[in-house]
Amino acid sequence: MQARTIAILGATGSIGTQALDIAGRYPERFRVSCLTAASSAEKLFELVRRFRPDTAALNTEPDRLPEDVRFCQWFFGPDATVRALLAAKPRDALCAIVGIAGLDAVWHALDVCERVLLANKEALVTGGSLVTAKAARMGVPLLPVDSEHSAIFQCLQARQGNPVKKLWLTCSGGALRSWKKQDMYAATVRDVLAHPTWRMGGKITVDCATMVNKGLEVIEARHLFDMPAEKIGVVIHPQSVVHSMVEFEDGAVLAQLGMPDMRGPIGYAMGFPDRLPYDATPLDLAALGHLDFAAPDHDRFPCLKLAVGALKRGGSAPVILNGANEVAVAAFLRERIPFGRIPEIIDAALQSVPAGPVASIADVYAADRAAREYARARL
Ligand code: NDP
Ligand code: MG
């Protein structure tokens, strides 16, 4: 077997490093040909030494470029990721940059890659049908990396042409799942980053605590699986063992289960259609004893409804939701605003920033700028 070339965009992050763990286990399958990060220069140098890509990129030029990483072609600056990707022309690209900052990379990966492995949900929340239409036009599959969407994608392999009645996304409930409403407003960064089941980057961990993450995932599912919002349900499942489900017309519900470990869905996308063993903890249902499910509490977690509302409104509303959320979450992580301000800022942006049609990527960026300006002024 000839190793497939793969770019890992956002290589120093939570998803990126776990993808490299898988790639490192299967050198005969994967040749990492492009590695990128924003500013974690030392971390990226280490990865470059180990994986020896053709190209590498950082958004900011480091003070020094060590001699032993100079064998590859380096790119620096705000569009360095895309330039490194286009120069490497890998067969696959794992898009694991966080936020709308990753949209450009997804967009260009669709030009040069055979497959796009998508962790960067914000690219789909904001780029929406522009991204899926381009993927279809270019004949490039978008393989989900997000665990819920990977679960649905895996269940859909058994579909055999049958119509789907409903998609069910499971949701851990985040770090504040059992908090009282009156305590949530002042939850600290430390409280919020203590996610019960998953270890992830800071932004998505905050998104889980507000549950905007599940809203972003409903929007992501809408685009990935071409399902209307009404046919996408959310159920709280604190153990994160049932990763999501597909309901068919005869009432049968297929689910994908496993211990929470992102290397499962990452490896599934990387190896698709093959399953690549790694040192996964086996699922022991008897030891777990029980799995719990509950309906989401929209009173304590208003962001889920805000996101689904934005999806139903359409046009640039999801872009506004996402832009306001990115600004609010960054401010919360810098301890500039309390946790409770995050949903307030998103809600206010959705009410105040005019939403319009989105016909091009330029429209997406214009709506994002307007949402960010508004949200920054509200901090
Ligand atoms: P991290 O914050 O851990 O990593 C983000 C990566 O992107 C880092 O390599 C970072 O580089 C790079 N990056 C950040 N900003 C930019 C930018 N402006 N331009 C170029 N590169 C940038 O995030 P995660 O790995 O947690 O998440 C990545 C994506 O995957 C997100 O969209 C998230 O929603 C999604 N996802 C993550 C899951 C998880 O388990 N972590 C689960 C499901 C989905 P640097 O280190 O230099 O900052
Ligand atoms: Mg997820």
Side-chain angles (χ1 to χ4, degrees):
M1 174 191 298
Q2 216 203 339
R4 275 182 90 85
T5 48
I6 184 167
I8 309 290
L9 311 178
T12 51
S14 159
I15 294 286
T17 48
Q18 293 180 89
L20 288 167
D21 176 83
I22 301 283
R25 286 165 195 267
Y26 292 96
E28 72 290 359
R29 271 185 177 267
F30 303 108
R31 187 172 79 75
V32 177
S33 65
C34 172
L35 287 170
T36 78
S39 59
S40 305
E42 293 301 327
K43 263 192 188 171
L44 192 67
F45 296 157
E46 266 315 303
L47 296 174
V48 164
R49 287 181 190 108
R50 172 152 180 232
F51 289 94
R52 308 198 66 79
D54 301 332
T55 69
L58 283 165
N59 285 13
T60 44
E61 186 152 3
D63 302 334
R64 58 176 198 107
L65 197 60
E67 200 60 49
D68 61 353
V69 300
R70 291 191 185 180
F71 62 88
C72 75
Q73 194 181 358
W74 280 89
F75 297 85
F76 304 112
D79 58 350
T81 302
V82 168
R83 286 189 289 132
L85 173 72
L86 296 181
K89 281 200 187 59
R91 292 180 69 185
D92 293 349
L94 174 77
C95 297
I97 291 173
V98 58
I100 194 175
L103 174 60
D104 210 26
V106 171
W107 192 253
H108 285 92
L110 291 171
D111 288 319
V112 293
C113 298
E114 289 170 19
R115 315 190 304 173
V116 168
L117 286 44
L118 190 74
N120 181 204
K121 64 189 83 184
E122 298 92 344
L124 212 48
V125 168
T126 56
S129 44
L130 295 172
V131 170
T132 51
K134 180 168 180 180
R137 200 165 62 238
M138 304 300 291
V140 176
L142 284 170
L143 298 173
V145 169
D146 211 349
S147 60
E148 295 77 2
H149 305 75
S150 173
I152 288 169
F153 181 68
Q154 293 180 51
C155 294
L156 288 175
Q157 303 305 311
R159 174 183 188 171
Q160 305 275 353
N162 286 289
V164 169
K165 187 170 176 195
K166 196 159 177 173
L167 303 177
W168 285 100
L169 300 177
T170 53
C171 174
S172 71
L176 310 184
R177 180 176 55 85
S178 42
W179 281 46
K180 292 202 184 68
K181 189 179 177 185
Q182 63 267 30
D183 299 334
M184 286 173 68
Y185 200 91
T188 64
V189 170
R190 204 189 151 98
D191 295 328
V192 166
L193 291 187
H195 194 284
T197 47
W198 298 102
R199 291 282 155 266
M200 308 176 287
K203 191 259 179 184
I204 185 176
T205 308
V206 179
D207 287 351
C208 287
T210 60
M211 260 191 217
V212 82
N213 180 56
K214 212 45 56 177
L216 300 179
E217 291 185 353
V218 169
I219 303 174
E220 183 185 10
R222 189 262 166 272
H223 294 297
L224 274 177
F225 306 114
D226 195 20
M227 286 291 273
E230 302 71 38
K231 290 190 171 189
I232 306 171
V234 171
V235 62
I236 304 298
H237 169 45
Q239 292 91 353
S240 302
V241 163
V242 175
H243 296 312
S244 278
M245 298 168 274
V246 177
E247 183 178 344
F248 290 92
E249 293 289 349
D250 62 353
V253 178
L254 299 193
Q256 187 257 330
L257 282 73
M259 293 304 281
D261 187 329
M262 279 309 294
R263 291 175 303 169
I266 295 168
Y268 188 71
M270 288 172 71
F272 183 77
D274 299 341
R275 290 184 179 275
L276 310 180
Y278 60 100
D279 59 351
T281 307
L283 176 61
D284 183 345
L285 285 174
L288 284 171
H290 60 98
L291 295 174
D292 301 310
F293 299 93
D297 178 344
H298 294 291
D299 183 40
R300 283 188 304 135
F301 299 98
C303 287
L304 175 55
K305 264 206 176 139
L306 289 175
V308 175
L311 172 60
K312 289 181 176 165
R313 230 170 103 195
S316 60
V319 186
I320 294 166
L321 168 104
N322 181 74
N325 181 57
E326 288 193 21
V327 169
V329 169
F332 169 69
L333 284 171
R334 289 196 307 269
E335 300 184 322
R336 283 193 56 199
I337 58 166
F339 180 75
R341 285 288 291 147
I342 300 173
E344 289 176 1
I345 288 170
I346 297 173
D347 193 12
L350 282 168
Q351 291 189 41
S352 308
V353 181
V358 173
S360 66
I361 289 292
D363 292 343
V364 173
Y365 287 122
D368 178 62
R369 268 196 307 276
R372 279 169 195 275
E373 261 168 42
Y374 177 85
R376 278 198 203 103
R378 293 281 304 215
L379 296 178

